[in-house]
Amino acid sequence: MNPRDIRIEEYNYPLPAERIAKHPLAQRDACKLLFRDSQGRIRDEIFSSLPSLLPEDSVLVYNNTRVINARLHFEKSTGAKIEIFCLEPAFPADYERAFASRRECVWNVLVGNSKRWKDGALEAKVGDDCVLTARRYQDDANKVIFAWDNEDYTFSDIISKLGQIPIPPYLCRESEPSDSRDYQTVYSHIEGSVAAPTAGLHFTPEVLDAISKAGIPRYEVTLHVGAGTFRPVKSETIGEHDMHSEFITVPKATIASLRCAIQEGKHIVAVGTTTVRTLESLYHIGKLILSGRWDGEVPQWVPYDSELTEIEAFKSLCAIEDYLDSIDSDVLIARTRIIIAPGYVYRIVSGMVTNFHQPQSTLLLLVSAFLGGGWQEIYRHALESDYRFLSYGDACLFLK
């Protein structure tokens, strides 16, 4: 079947509200781990056992993005409350430069209670020595100019002090102080996401240390998770669904290490769907470079483009290395809209750590494509075995 013809209703399942974990376990790595091995056998484990379940000849790749305090609250003199949800930087568009700004920056945003804010400035105090001002950007309702009167503060400082961490809407509760800790991975350090790469929430320093002691290399990539990750598929078929664009960066040294691992026949185990999307996007970036069609973003349907010649994965990564050499850069900076659905052929990832995903979501499609079918059996087992679902829920490890 052409992936565009997939009907999203075929990826539905009953998820009782009480099975959605509202908070994580006190001990991150004590959660359940549903393990499906390379033979398709399923068994129940504990996440702390992950290091012993990974193939000896594997490497682990995870997303080092850090969730920002993206929700900023203002109150007008009339008493109207306005929420500005920062999505991604517009000017400067580079995340690092935007967070380092000391006087002003422009962000793409969502505005809550927008009808009560037609024009004029909103103000909020940042401690006792700084005032943040928000103004509409020209006639664009989706952009806001932020300015502040104390250059001792970066924009990163501003949102850290004033903002609130955004938690998933399906938790049906307000953010709590504990979410500032719970909704970050222990290895997060590159600011930019408005949602956590939640498969990584189960890792602890002890688990990471055990993985290293097992001789399994660990590599980092960055994909800043956008609010689009929660966007439901409203169309009947996947072909009518527009995937959101997300920002990725991968050091050239990491690309070289992954190329070597692939050439040596090692298993590439990705932590989370965001890492999966980043790694699989690399393969298609290499193909686009070789075909002369690379323009900085992986289109949604490029994996299914029959006009692009299929090549070995390591050759695709070689193409990226050569491209980075040609522009004298040590890091690949790109965007991806890739959609991974049944019919997709995985080129780089051969193992996946992930959570349980929402019914009728593109993330469930990605998992189904990896499993080659049979997701229903796995989810049925999880529901019958009291697994906890979604962001703060339990985990899975799938191997090819």
Side-chain angles (χ1 to χ4, degrees):
M1 174 185 288
N2 187 323
R4 296 173 188 256
D5 297 329
I6 292 173
R7 300 180 66 83
I8 194 61
E9 65 183 15
E10 297 172 4
Y11 293 83
N12 198 7
Y13 69 92
L15 178 58
E18 62 269 19
R19 302 303 293 276
I20 300 174
K22 296 297 183 73
H23 297 88
L25 298 181
Q27 179 63 29
R28 291 179 181 231
D29 59 11
C31 71
K32 290 184 177 182
L33 177 69
L34 189 153
F35 176 43
R36 196 199 80 152
D37 66 20
S38 58
Q39 304 302 312
R41 296 169 299 201
I42 298 171
R43 70 175 189 260
D44 301 318
E45 296 280 354
I46 300 297
F47 194 84
S48 57
S49 66
L50 177 72
S52 66
L53 299 174
L54 294 173
E56 292 182 2
D57 59 342
S58 62
V59 301
L60 191 75
V61 188
Y62 50 78
N63 185 2
N64 61 17
T65 188
R66 186 167 182 82
V67 184
I68 62 173
N69 288 2
R71 297 172 61 188
L72 300 173
H73 295 95
F74 297 84
E75 184 172 341
K76 296 181 65 175
S77 58
T78 60
K81 298 184 186 303
I82 309 295
E83 178 183 288
I84 299 178
F85 192 120
C86 298
L87 296 177
E88 62 178 8
F91 311 113
D94 177 84
Y95 279 84
E96 185 174 353
R97 290 174 56 210
F99 286 122
S101 299
R102 290 190 175 274
R103 280 293 187 183
E104 182 180 285
C105 55
V106 180
W107 278 68
N108 295 311
V109 301
L110 294 174
V111 178
N113 204 14
S114 182
K115 293 181 180 179
R116 304 295 296 274
W117 182 37
K118 297 295 185 182
D119 51 33
L122 301 175
E123 291 187 351
K125 284 188 175 183
V126 186
D128 297 325
D129 57 352
C130 182
V131 175
L132 175 68
T133 301
R135 291 185 173 86
R136 297 280 194 182
Y137 180 78
Q138 298 176 1
D139 296 325
D140 192 338
N142 298 316
K143 286 185 173 63
V144 163
I145 303 171
F146 293 109
W148 54 102
D149 59 2
N150 187 338
E151 64 181 11
D152 288 339
Y153 288 85
T154 64
F155 189 67
S156 177
D157 297 328
I158 295 287
I159 61 173
S160 293
K161 288 179 173 291
L162 188 64
Q164 188 177 52
I165 201 159
I167 58 173
Y170 50 66
L171 293 184
C172 299
R173 64 171 176 81
E174 292 296 318
S175 296
E176 300 172 6
S178 60
D179 291 312
S180 296
R181 175 193 67 249
D182 295 339
Y183 203 54
Q184 301 283 9
T185 63
V186 296
Y187 44 71
S188 66
H189 61 95
I190 305 295
E191 292 181 302
S193 282
V194 300
T198 54
L201 296 180
H202 311 292
F203 284 81
T204 61
E206 293 77 15
V207 169
L208 293 173
D209 185 55
I211 290 170
S212 295
K213 287 180 178 177
I216 297 173
R218 296 187 277 117
Y219 300 110
E220 298 182 4
V221 298
T222 304
L223 180 146
H224 289 320
V225 190
T229 193
F230 300 120
R231 184 191 302 164
V233 179
K234 295 183 177 179
S235 57
E236 289 187 5
T237 62
I238 301 305
E240 301 170 60
H241 178 73
D242 289 327
M243 283 294 288
H244 54 288
S245 178
E246 291 177 312
F247 177 92
I248 62 175
T249 63
V250 185
K252 183 170 69 174
T254 298
I255 294 171
S257 296
L258 291 171
R259 170 180 52 78
C260 291
I262 290 170
Q263 288 177 295
E264 294 168 5
K266 293 186 176 181
H267 295 276
I268 310 297
V269 180
V271 178
T273 57
T274 61
T275 304
V276 170
R277 295 185 74 228
T278 302
L279 294 178
E280 291 297 313
S281 291
L282 292 181
Y283 173 75
H284 298 287
I285 289 171
K287 285 205 309 180
L288 290 167
I289 289 171
L290 290 173
S291 67
R293 289 170 51 181
W294 176 238
D295 64 1
E297 182 173 86
V298 181
Q300 176 171 340
W301 295 106
V302 76
Y304 315 95
D305 187 344
S306 59
E307 294 183 5
L308 285 171
T309 303
E310 296 299 320
I311 59 176
E312 293 177 272
F314 81 90
K315 291 182 179 179
S316 192
L317 297 185
C318 280
I320 299 176
E321 292 178 79
D322 291 342
Y323 166 74
L324 292 176
D325 285 339
S326 72
I327 62 173
D328 194 26
S329 176
D330 291 330
V331 61
L332 173 71
I333 300 175
R335 301 190 72 89
T336 183
R337 288 184 182 273
I338 191 172
I339 184 168
I340 298 177
Y344 180 87
V345 178
Y346 276 83
R347 297 294 184 173
I348 292 180
V349 175
S350 56
M352 182 190 308
V353 178
T354 189
N355 282 13
F356 295 95
H357 304 293
Q358 294 185 83
Q360 301 189 101
S361 65
T362 57
L363 301 183
L364 186 54
L365 292 173
L366 180 152
V367 168
S368 179
F370 184 83
L371 295 172
W375 70 269
Q376 298 95 332
E377 178 189 0
I378 288 172
Y379 273 61
R380 188 181 308 114
H381 175 85
L383 286 166
E384 292 173 354
S385 304
D386 295 325
Y387 277 76
R388 303 161 74 246
F389 278 62
L390 307 187
S391 293
Y392 280 147
D394 295 317
C396 305
L397 170 61
F398 302 138
L399 299 177
K400 280 190 174 296

